[in-house]
Amino acid sequence: MESSAYGASLAGGAFDFWSFIKQTQTIVRLFCWLFSIVVFATIINEGYANHHEGGDTTCMFNENDSACNYAVGIGILAFLACVAFIVLDAYFPQISNAKDRKYIVLGDLVFSGVWTFLWFVCFCVLANLWSKTNAVTLQVPADAARAVVAFAFFSTATWALLTVLAFRRYRLGMDEIGIGYNDPATDHTSPYPSSYPGGPDGYQQSPFTPTTVGEGAYQPPAY
């Protein structure tokens, strides 16, 4: 029987691009990749402005530079992580070692969970700061700020979905390993008989063992 682990056959197989693109995990990861670009690119291009004549540029979210730096930082890291995990997802069916697959899935689960939390914090901070920002006085691009807040929220949702998908894949993998292939040579519960049935040591007496001397000798009939 062909064994499988974490949603793919352990025997591997040819890479099917269209099947890979249609996978739910791939689609969600691409959305995460796109949303991260929107967040950090918008802040880099429009998030800093010289609100006071002759002064330094400040963040459009209530002039809090830490908030902009935080959003840009997790956005760039999310972008790089999405690229790395997409490559791993494409290469995943070619990995025949179940332990290696387990580490990849666990890494995906942990990273997705952490980034869900970080994006949620980012959304809460930016939304709170934007509610306190006077867009007219500071002359900030309101549409850009609202887009950053909205896509921070979208990123929270998509990374949370990735966490759920990774957790399901991990549980599926553990179940598949539990009912997977067992080597008959080491599996004492195998239904197939041993090569040398008989005693506990695998030895069975030959059916042609010589009988005891005189046991089969001729006996004359009694009259």
Side-chain angles (χ1 to χ4, degrees), residues 172-211:
L172 176 63
M174 297 304 292
D175 293 339
E176 289 174 336
I177 290 296
I179 61 175
Y181 173 77
N182 292 318
D183 188 356
T186 58
D187 184 13
H188 300 291
T189 62
S190 176
Y192 299 100
S194 174
S195 300
Y196 302 97
D201 297 329
Y203 173 79
Q204 183 178 22
Q205 185 179 13
S206 171
F208 302 104
T209 302
T211 57

Side-chain angles (χ1 to χ4, degrees), residues 42 46-49 51 60 130 135 138-147:
T42 301
E46 302 183 54
Y48 296 92
H51 303 163
M60 63 181 172
W130 177 244
L138 297 179
Q139 298 180 353
V140 298
D143 291 339
R146 294 190 187 98

Side-chain angles (χ1 to χ4, degrees), residues 42-69 129-130 133-134 137-141 145:
T42 301
I43 294 178
I44 290 175
N45 291 328
E46 302 183 54
Y48 296 92
N50 186 354
H51 303 163
H52 305 287
E53 196 173 323
D56 296 331
T57 58
T58 56
C59 177
M60 63 181 172
F61 291 98
N62 204 30
E63 300 183 287
N64 190 322
D65 291 342
S66 297
C68 284
N69 294 337
L129 290 175
W130 177 244
T133 302
N134 190 329
T137 303
L138 297 179
Q139 298 180 353
V140 298

Side-chain angles (χ1 to χ4, degrees), residues 7 64 67 88 135 159 170 209:
N64 190 322
L88 286 175
W159 280 98
Y170 176 76
T209 302

Side-chain angles (χ1 to χ4, degrees), residues 20-29 161-162 165:
F20 172 72
I21 289 296
K22 293 177 183 178
Q23 292 178 4
T24 303
Q25 181 171 284
T26 305
I27 295 173
V28 176
R29 212 180 292 282
L161 183 55
L162 278 181
L165 293 174

